[in-house]
């Protein structure tokens, strides 16, 4: 069974282990550099999935039929995108 939260944690940890500066990345051997690019892509994909879930939830809670009681309206926004 997949644990999506654990997948994200592991992906973030793998990226963090690559280094914390451009100098750290410069010091990586070629193989680690290319593997690191894959790790960053994987972490980004996991974050993008969560960003889509979050945007969808905000949009549903802000749907027009809720009027002024919708999430966006209660926060002073004209739309969920704002």
């Amino acid at each position: 069974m997949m644990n999506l939260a654990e997948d994200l944690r592991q992906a973030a940890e793998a990226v963090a282990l690559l280094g914390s500066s451009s100098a750290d990345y410069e010091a990586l051997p070629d193989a680690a550099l290319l593997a690191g690019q894959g790790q960053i892509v994987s972490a980004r994909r996991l974050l993008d999935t969560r960003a889509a879930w979050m945007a969808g939830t905000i949009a549903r809670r802000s749907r027009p039929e809720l009027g002024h009681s919708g999430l966006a309206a209660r926060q002073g926004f004209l739309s969920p995108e704002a």
Side-chain angles (χ1 to χ4, degrees):
M1 180 177 190
M2 290 179 50
N3 182 334
L4 298 176
E6 182 63 17
D7 292 347
L8 178 59
R9 189 198 64 73
Q10 288 178 0
E13 184 176 325
V15 170
L17 290 173
L18 294 171
S20 58
S21 69
S22 60
D24 291 341
Y25 281 41
E26 284 289 335
L28 292 171
D30 290 350
L33 190 65
L34 295 173
Q37 178 64 16
Q39 292 167 325
I40 290 170
V41 167
S42 177
R44 180 174 285 161
R45 185 174 47 250
L46 290 166
L47 284 172
D48 286 347
T49 297
R50 283 154 178 80
W53 294 343
M54 187 67 70
T57 300
I58 290 170
R60 279 187 293 283
R61 292 185 187 183
S62 302
R63 60 191 184 277
E65 60 267 23
L66 294 175
H68 294 294
S69 66
L71 177 61
R74 284 185 319 204
Q75 299 300 313
F77 297 103
L78 298 176
S79 69
E81 293 80 12

Coordinates of all heavy atoms in Angstrom, one line a residue:
M1 N 0.8 -1.2 0.0 CA 0.0 0.0 0.0 C 0.9 1.2 0.0 O 1.8 1.3 0.8 CB -0.9 0.0 1.2 CG -1.8 1.1 1.4 SD -2.9 0.9 2.8 CE -4.0 2.2 2.6
M2 N 0.5 2.2 -0.8 CA 1.3 3.4 -0.9 C 1.0 4.4 0.2 O -0.2 4.5 0.6 CB 1.1 4.1 -2.3 CG 1.6 3.4 -3.5 SD 1.3 4.2 -5.0 CE 1.8 5.9 -4.7
N3 N 2.0 5.0 0.7 CA 1.8 6.1 1.7 C 2.2 7.4 1.1 O 3.5 7.6 1.1 CB 2.5 5.7 3.0 CG 2.3 6.8 4.1 OD1 2.0 7.9 3.8 ND2 2.5 6.3 5.3
L4 N 1.3 8.2 0.6 CA 1.7 9.4 -0.2 C 2.4 10.4 0.7 O 3.3 11.1 0.2 CB 0.4 10.0 -0.8 CG -0.2 9.1 -1.8 CD1 -1.5 9.7 -2.4 CD2 0.7 8.7 -3.0
A5 N 2.0 10.5 2.0 CA 2.7 11.4 2.8 C 4.2 11.0 3.1 O 5.1 11.8 3.0 CB 2.0 11.5 4.2
E6 N 4.4 9.7 3.2 CA 5.7 9.2 3.4 C 6.6 9.4 2.1 O 7.7 9.7 2.2 CB 5.7 7.7 3.8 CG 7.1 7.1 4.1 CD 7.9 7.8 5.2 OE1 7.3 8.5 6.0 OE2 9.1 7.6 5.2
D7 N 5.9 9.2 1.0 CA 6.6 9.4 -0.3 C 7.1 10.8 -0.4 O 8.3 11.0 -0.8 CB 5.7 9.1 -1.5 CG 5.3 7.6 -1.6 OD1 6.0 6.8 -1.0 OD2 4.4 7.3 -2.4
L8 N 6.3 11.8 0.0 CA 6.7 13.2 -0.1 C 7.8 13.4 0.9 O 8.8 14.1 0.5 CB 5.5 14.1 0.2 CG 5.8 15.6 0.2 CD1 6.4 16.0 -1.1 CD2 4.6 16.4 0.6
R9 N 7.7 12.9 2.1 CA 8.8 13.1 3.1 C 10.1 12.6 2.6 O 11.1 13.2 2.6 CB 8.4 12.5 4.4 CG 9.4 12.9 5.5 CD 9.3 11.9 6.7 NE 9.7 10.6 6.4 CZ 10.9 10.1 6.1 NH1 11.9 11.0 6.2 NH2 11.2 8.9 5.9
Q10 N 10.1 11.4 2.0 CA 11.3 10.8 1.5 C 11.9 11.5 0.3 O 13.1 11.7 0.2 CB 11.0 9.3 1.1 CG 10.8 8.4 2.3 CD 10.5 7.0 1.9 OE1 10.5 6.6 0.7 NE2 10.3 6.1 2.9
A11 N 11.0 12.0 -0.6 CA 11.4 12.8 -1.7 C 12.1 14.1 -1.2 O 13.2 14.5 -1.7 CB 10.3 13.1 -2.7
A12 N 11.5 14.8 -0.3 CA 12.1 16.0 0.2 C 13.4 15.8 0.9 O 14.3 16.5 0.8 CB 11.1 16.7 1.2
E13 N 13.5 14.7 1.7 CA 14.7 14.3 2.3 C 15.8 14.0 1.3 O 17.0 14.5 1.5 CB 14.6 13.1 3.2 CG 15.8 12.8 4.0 CD 15.6 11.6 5.0 OE1 14.5 11.5 5.6 OE2 16.5 10.9 5.2
A14 N 15.5 13.3 0.2 CA 16.5 13.0 -0.8 C 17.0 14.3 -1.4 O 18.2 14.4 -1.7 CB 15.9 12.1 -1.8
V15 N 16.1 15.2 -1.7 CA 16.6 16.5 -2.3 C 17.4 17.3 -1.3 O 18.4 17.8 -1.7 CB 15.3 17.3 -2.8 CG1 15.7 18.7 -3.2 CG2 14.6 16.6 -3.9
A16 N 17.0 17.3 0.0 CA 17.8 18.0 1.0 C 19.2 17.5 1.1 O 20.1 18.2 1.3 CB 17.0 18.0 2.3
L17 N 19.3 16.1 0.9 CA 20.6 15.5 1.1 C 21.6 15.9 -0.1 O 22.8 15.7 0.0 CB 20.5 14.0 1.2 CG 19.9 13.5 2.5 CD1 19.6 12.0 2.4 CD2 20.8 13.8 3.7
L18 N 21.0 16.4 -1.2 CA 21.9 16.8 -2.3 C 22.8 18.0 -1.9 O 23.8 18.2 -2.5 CB 21.0 17.2 -3.5 CG 20.3 16.0 -4.1 CD1 19.3 16.6 -5.2 CD2 21.2 15.0 -4.7
G19 N 22.3 18.8 -1.0 CA 23.1 20.0 -0.6 C 22.2 21.1 -0.3 O 21.0 21.1 -0.6
S20 N 22.8 22.2 0.2 CA 22.0 23.4 0.6 C 22.5 24.6 -0.1 O 22.2 25.7 0.3 CB 22.0 23.6 2.1 OG 23.3 23.7 2.6
S21 N 23.3 24.5 -1.2 CA 23.8 25.6 -1.9 C 24.2 25.2 -3.3 O 24.4 24.0 -3.6 CB 25.0 26.3 -1.2 OG 26.2 25.4 -1.3
S22 N 24.4 26.2 -4.2 CA 24.8 25.9 -5.5 C 26.3 25.3 -5.5 O 26.6 24.4 -6.3 CB 24.8 27.1 -6.4 OG 25.6 28.1 -5.9
A23 N 27.1 25.7 -4.5 CA 28.4 25.1 -4.4 C 28.3 23.6 -4.1 O 29.1 22.8 -4.6 CB 29.2 25.8 -3.3
D24 N 27.4 23.2 -3.2 CA 27.2 21.8 -2.9 C 26.8 21.0 -4.2 O 27.3 19.9 -4.5 CB 26.1 21.6 -1.9 CG 26.5 22.1 -0.5 OD1 27.7 22.3 -0.3 OD2 25.6 22.3 0.3
Y25 N 26.0 21.6 -5.0 CA 25.6 21.0 -6.3 C 26.7 20.9 -7.3 O 26.9 19.9 -7.9 CB 24.4 21.7 -6.9 CG 23.0 21.4 -6.2 CD1 22.9 21.3 -4.9 CD2 21.9 21.2 -7.0 CE1 21.7 21.0 -4.3 CE2 20.7 20.9 -6.4 CZ 20.6 20.8 -5.0 OH 19.4 20.5 -4.4
E26 N 27.5 21.9 -7.3 CA 28.7 21.9 -8.2 C 29.7 20.8 -7.8 O 30.4 20.3 -8.6 CB 29.5 23.3 -8.1 CG 28.8 24.4 -8.8 CD 28.9 24.3 -10.3 OE1 29.8 23.6 -10.8 OE2 28.0 24.8 -11.0
A27 N 29.7 20.5 -6.5 CA 30.7 19.5 -6.0 C 30.2 18.0 -6.3 O 30.9 17.1 -6.1 CB 30.9 19.6 -4.5
L28 N 28.9 17.9 -6.7 CA 28.4 16.5 -6.9 C 29.1 15.9 -8.2 O 29.2 16.6 -9.2 CB 26.9 16.6 -7.2 CG 26.0 16.9 -6.0 CD1 24.6 17.1 -6.4 CD2 26.1 15.9 -4.9
P29 N 29.4 14.6 -8.1 CA 29.8 13.9 -9.3 C 28.7 13.8 -10.3 O 27.5 14.0 -10.0 CB 30.2 12.5 -8.8 CG 29.9 12.5 -7.4 CD 29.3 13.8 -6.9
D30 N 29.1 13.6 -11.6 CA 28.1 13.6 -12.7 C 26.9 12.7 -12.4 O 25.7 13.1 -12.6 CB 28.7 13.3 -14.0 CG 29.6 14.4 -14.5 OD1 29.6 15.5 -14.0 OD2 30.4 14.1 -15.5
A31 N 27.2 11.5 -12.0 CA 26.1 10.5 -11.7 C 25.2 11.0 -10.6 O 23.9 10.9 -10.8 CB 26.7 9.2 -11.4
A32 N 25.7 11.6 -9.6 CA 24.9 12.1 -8.5 C 24.1 13.3 -9.0 O 22.9 13.5 -8.6 CB 25.7 12.4 -7.3
L33 N 24.7 14.1 -9.8 CA 24.0 15.3 -10.3 C 22.8 14.9 -11.2 O 21.7 15.4 -11.0 CB 25.0 16.1 -11.2 CG 24.5 17.5 -11.7 CD1 24.3 18.4 -10.5 CD2 25.5 18.0 -12.6
L34 N 23.0 13.9 -12.0 CA 21.9 13.4 -12.9 C 20.8 12.7 -12.0 O 19.6 12.9 -12.3 CB 22.4 12.5 -14.0 CG 23.3 13.2 -15.0 CD1 23.9 12.2 -15.9 CD2 22.5 14.3 -15.8
A35 N 21.2 11.9 -11.1 CA 20.2 11.3 -10.2 C 19.5 12.3 -9.4 O 18.3 12.2 -9.2 CB 21.0 10.3 -9.2
G36 N 20.2 13.3 -8.9 CA 19.6 14.4 -8.2 C 18.5 15.2 -9.0 O 17.5 15.5 -8.4
Q37 N 18.8 15.3 -10.3 CA 17.8 16.0 -11.1 C 16.5 15.1 -11.1 O 15.4 15.7 -11.0 CB 18.3 16.1 -12.5 CG 17.3 16.7 -13.5 CD 16.9 18.2 -13.1 OE1 17.6 18.8 -12.4 NE2 15.8 18.6 -13.7
G38 N 16.6 13.8 -11.2 CA 15.5 12.9 -11.1 C 14.8 13.0 -9.8 O 13.5 13.0 -9.7
Q39 N 15.5 13.1 -8.7 CA 14.9 13.3 -7.4 C 14.1 14.6 -7.3 O 13.0 14.6 -6.7 CB 16.0 13.2 -6.3 CG 16.6 11.8 -6.2 CD 17.9 11.8 -5.4 OE1 18.6 12.8 -5.4 NE2 18.1 10.7 -4.6
I40 N 14.6 15.6 -7.8 CA 13.9 16.9 -7.8 C 12.6 16.8 -8.6 O 11.6 17.3 -8.2 CB 14.9 18.1 -8.3 CG1 15.9 18.3 -7.2 CG2 14.1 19.3 -8.6 CD1 17.1 19.2 -7.7
V41 N 12.7 16.2 -9.8 CA 11.5 16.0 -10.6 C 10.5 15.2 -9.9 O 9.3 15.6 -9.9 CB 11.9 15.4 -12.0 CG1 10.7 14.9 -12.7 CG2 12.7 16.3 -12.8
S42 N 10.9 14.2 -9.2 CA 9.9 13.4 -8.4 C 9.3 14.2 -7.3 O 8.1 14.1 -7.1 CB 10.7 12.1 -7.9 OG 9.8 11.4 -7.1
A43 N 10.1 14.9 -6.6 CA 9.6 15.7 -5.5 C 8.6 16.8 -6.0 O 7.5 17.0 -5.4 CB 10.7 16.4 -4.7
R44 N 9.0 17.4 -7.1 CA 8.1 18.4 -7.7 C 6.8 17.8 -8.1 O 5.7 18.4 -7.9 CB 8.8 19.1 -8.9 CG 7.9 20.2 -9.5 CD 8.6 20.9 -10.6 NE 9.6 21.8 -9.9 CZ 10.6 22.4 -10.5 NH1 10.9 22.1 -11.8 NH2 11.4 23.2 -9.9
R45 N 6.8 16.6 -8.7 CA 5.6 16.0 -9.1 C 4.7 15.7 -7.9 O 3.5 15.9 -8.0 CB 5.9 14.7 -9.9 CG 4.7 14.0 -10.4 CD 5.0 12.8 -11.3 NE 5.9 11.9 -10.7 CZ 7.2 11.7 -11.0 NH1 7.7 12.3 -12.1 NH2 8.0 10.8 -10.4
L46 N 5.3 15.2 -6.8 CA 4.5 15.0 -5.6 C 3.9 16.3 -5.1 O 2.7 16.3 -4.6 CB 5.4 14.3 -4.6 CG 5.7 12.9 -4.9 CD1 6.9 12.4 -4.0 CD2 4.5 11.9 -4.8
L47 N 4.7 17.4 -5.1 CA 4.2 18.7 -4.6 C 3.1 19.2 -5.6 O 2.1 19.8 -5.1 CB 5.3 19.7 -4.5 CG 6.2 19.5 -3.3 CD1 7.4 20.4 -3.3 CD2 5.4 19.7 -2.0
D48 N 3.3 19.1 -6.9 CA 2.3 19.5 -7.8 C 1.0 18.8 -7.7 O -0.1 19.4 -7.8 CB 2.8 19.4 -9.3 CG 3.9 20.4 -9.6 OD1 4.1 21.4 -8.9 OD2 4.5 20.2 -10.7
T49 N 1.0 17.5 -7.3 CA -0.2 16.8 -7.1 C -0.9 17.4 -5.9 O -2.2 17.6 -5.9 CB 0.1 15.3 -6.8 OG1 0.7 14.8 -8.0 CG2 -1.1 14.5 -6.4
R50 N -0.2 17.7 -4.8 CA -0.8 18.3 -3.7 C -1.3 19.7 -3.9 O -2.4 20.1 -3.4 CB 0.1 18.2 -2.5 CG 0.2 16.9 -1.9 CD 1.6 16.6 -1.2 NE 1.6 15.3 -0.6 CZ 1.8 14.2 -1.3 NH1 2.1 14.2 -2.6 NH2 1.8 13.0 -0.7
A51 N -0.6 20.4 -4.7 CA -1.1 21.8 -5.1 C -2.4 21.7 -5.8 O -3.3 22.5 -5.6 CB 0.0 22.5 -5.9
A52 N -2.6 20.7 -6.7 CA -3.8 20.5 -7.4 C -4.9 20.1 -6.5 O -6.1 20.6 -6.6 CB -3.6 19.4 -8.5
W53 N -4.7 19.2 -5.6 CA -5.7 18.8 -4.6 C -6.1 20.1 -3.8 O -7.3 20.3 -3.5 CB -5.2 17.8 -3.6 CG -4.8 16.5 -4.2 CD1 -5.2 15.9 -5.4 CD2 -4.0 15.4 -3.6 NE1 -4.7 14.7 -5.5 CE2 -4.0 14.3 -4.5 CE3 -3.3 15.4 -2.4 CZ2 -3.3 13.2 -4.2 CZ3 -2.6 14.2 -2.1 CH2 -2.6 13.1 -3.0
M54 N -5.1 20.9 -3.4 CA -5.5 22.1 -2.6 C -6.3 23.0 -3.4 O -7.3 23.6 -2.9 CB -4.2 22.7 -2.1 CG -4.4 23.9 -1.1 SD -5.0 23.3 0.5 CE -3.6 22.5 1.2
A55 N -5.9 23.3 -4.6 CA -6.6 24.2 -5.4 C -8.1 23.8 -5.7 O -9.0 24.5 -5.6 CB -5.9 24.4 -6.8
G56 N -8.2 22.5 -5.9 CA -9.6 21.9 -6.1 C -10.4 22.0 -4.9 O -11.6 22.4 -5.0
T57 N -9.9 21.8 -3.7 CA -10.6 21.9 -2.5 C -11.0 23.4 -2.2 O -12.2 23.7 -1.9 CB -9.8 21.4 -1.3 OG1 -9.5 20.0 -1.6 CG2 -10.5 21.5 0.0
I58 N -10.1 24.3 -2.5 CA -10.4 25.7 -2.3 C -11.5 26.1 -3.3 O -12.4 26.8 -2.9 CB -9.1 26.6 -2.5 CG1 -8.2 26.4 -1.3 CG2 -9.5 28.1 -2.6 CD1 -6.8 27.0 -1.4
A59 N -11.4 25.7 -4.5 CA -12.4 26.0 -5.5 C -13.8 25.4 -5.1 O -14.8 26.1 -5.2 CB -12.0 25.4 -6.9
R60 N -13.9 24.2 -4.6 CA -15.1 23.6 -4.2 C -15.7 24.4 -3.0 O -16.9 24.6 -2.9 CB -15.0 22.2 -3.8 CG -15.0 21.2 -5.0 CD -15.0 19.8 -4.7 NE -13.8 19.3 -4.0 CZ -12.6 19.1 -4.6 NH1 -12.5 19.3 -6.0 NH2 -11.6 18.7 -4.0
R61 N -14.9 24.8 -2.1 CA -15.4 25.5 -0.9 C -15.7 27.0 -1.2 O -16.2 27.7 -0.4 CB -14.3 25.5 0.2 CG -14.2 24.1 0.8 CD -13.3 24.1 2.0 NE -13.0 22.7 2.4 CZ -12.3 22.4 3.5 NH1 -11.8 23.4 4.2 NH2 -12.1 21.1 3.8
S62 N -15.3 27.4 -2.4 CA -15.6 28.8 -2.9 C -16.6 28.9 -4.0 O -16.7 29.9 -4.6 CB -14.2 29.4 -3.3 OG -13.3 29.4 -2.3
R63 N -17.3 27.8 -4.3 CA -18.1 27.8 -5.5 C -19.2 28.9 -5.4 O -19.6 29.3 -4.3 CB -18.7 26.4 -5.7 CG -19.5 25.8 -4.6 CD -19.8 24.3 -4.8 NE -20.7 23.9 -3.8 CZ -20.3 23.5 -2.6 NH1 -19.0 23.5 -2.3 NH2 -21.2 23.0 -1.7
P64 N -19.6 29.4 -6.6 CA -20.5 30.6 -6.6 C -21.8 30.4 -5.8 O -22.3 31.4 -5.2 CB -20.8 30.7 -8.1 CG -19.6 30.1 -8.8 CD -19.2 29.0 -7.9
E65 N -22.4 29.2 -5.8 CA -23.7 29.0 -5.1 C -23.6 29.2 -3.6 O -24.6 29.4 -2.9 CB -24.3 27.7 -5.5 CG -23.5 26.5 -5.1 CD -22.6 26.0 -6.2 OE1 -22.2 26.7 -7.1 OE2 -22.2 24.8 -6.1
L66 N -22.3 29.3 -3.1 CA -22.2 29.5 -1.7 C -22.2 31.0 -1.3 O -22.3 31.4 -0.2 CB -20.8 28.9 -1.2 CG -20.8 27.4 -1.2 CD1 -19.4 26.9 -0.8 CD2 -21.8 26.8 -0.3
G67 N -22.1 31.8 -2.4 CA -22.2 33.3 -2.2 C -21.2 33.8 -1.2 O -20.0 33.4 -1.3
H68 N -21.6 34.6 -0.3 CA -20.7 35.3 0.6 C -20.2 34.3 1.7 O -19.3 34.7 2.4 CB -21.3 36.5 1.2 CG -21.6 37.6 0.3 ND1 -20.5 38.3 -0.4 CD2 -22.7 38.1 -0.2 CE1 -21.0 39.2 -1.2 NE2 -22.3 39.1 -1.1
S69 N -20.8 33.1 1.8 CA -20.3 32.2 2.8 C -19.2 31.3 2.3 O -18.7 30.4 3.0 CB -21.5 31.4 3.3 OG -22.0 30.5 2.3
G70 N -18.9 31.4 1.0 CA -17.8 30.6 0.4 C -16.5 31.0 1.0 O -16.3 32.1 1.4
L71 N -15.5 30.1 0.9 CA -14.2 30.3 1.5 C -13.5 31.6 0.9 O -13.1 32.5 1.7 CB -13.3 29.1 1.3 CG -11.9 29.2 1.8 CD1 -11.8 29.5 3.3 CD2 -11.1 28.0 1.4
A72 N -13.5 31.7 -0.4 CA -12.8 32.9 -1.0 C -13.5 34.2 -0.6 O -12.8 35.1 -0.2 CB -12.8 32.8 -2.5
A73 N -14.8 34.2 -0.6 CA -15.6 35.4 -0.3 C -15.4 35.8 1.2 O -15.2 37.0 1.5 CB -17.1 35.2 -0.6
R74 N -15.4 34.8 2.1 CA -15.2 35.1 3.5 C -13.8 35.7 3.8 O -13.6 36.4 4.7 CB -15.4 33.8 4.3 CG -16.8 33.4 4.5 CD -16.9 32.3 5.4 NE -15.8 31.4 5.0 CZ -15.7 30.1 5.2 NH1 -16.6 29.5 5.9 NH2 -14.7 29.4 4.8
Q75 N -12.8 35.3 2.9 CA -11.5 35.9 3.1 C -11.3 37.2 2.3 O -10.2 37.7 2.3 CB -10.4 34.8 2.5 CG -10.5 33.5 3.3 CD -10.2 33.7 4.8 OE1 -9.3 34.3 5.2 NE2 -11.1 33.0 5.6
G76 N -12.3 37.7 1.7 CA -12.3 39.0 1.0 C -11.8 38.9 -0.5 O -11.4 39.9 -1.1
F77 N -11.8 37.7 -1.1 CA -11.4 37.5 -2.4 C -12.6 37.4 -3.3 O -13.7 36.9 -2.9 CB -10.5 36.3 -2.6 CG -9.2 36.4 -1.8 CD1 -9.0 35.8 -0.6 CD2 -8.2 37.2 -2.3 CE1 -7.9 35.9 0.1 CE2 -7.0 37.3 -1.6 CZ -6.8 36.7 -0.4
L78 N -12.5 37.8 -4.6 CA -13.6 37.7 -5.6 C -13.7 36.3 -6.2 O -14.7 35.9 -6.7 CB -13.4 38.8 -6.7 CG -13.5 40.2 -6.2 CD1 -13.2 41.2 -7.3 CD2 -14.8 40.5 -5.5
S79 N -12.6 35.6 -6.1 CA -12.5 34.2 -6.8 C -11.6 33.3 -6.0 O -10.7 33.8 -5.3 CB -12.1 34.3 -8.2 OG -10.7 34.7 -8.3
P80 N -11.7 32.0 -6.2 CA -10.7 31.1 -5.5 C -9.3 31.4 -6.1 O -8.3 31.2 -5.3 CB -11.2 29.7 -5.9 CG -12.5 29.9 -6.4 CD -12.7 31.3 -6.9
E81 N -9.1 31.8 -7.3 CA -7.8 32.0 -7.9 C -7.1 33.1 -7.2 O -5.9 33.1 -7.1 CB -7.9 32.3 -9.4 CG -8.4 31.1 -10.2 CD -9.9 30.9 -10.2 OE1 -10.7 31.8 -9.7 OE2 -10.4 29.8 -10.6
A82 N -7.9 34.1 -6.8 CA -7.3 35.3 -6.2 C -6.7 34.9 -4.8 O -5.7 35.4 -4.4 CB -8.3 36.4 -6.0

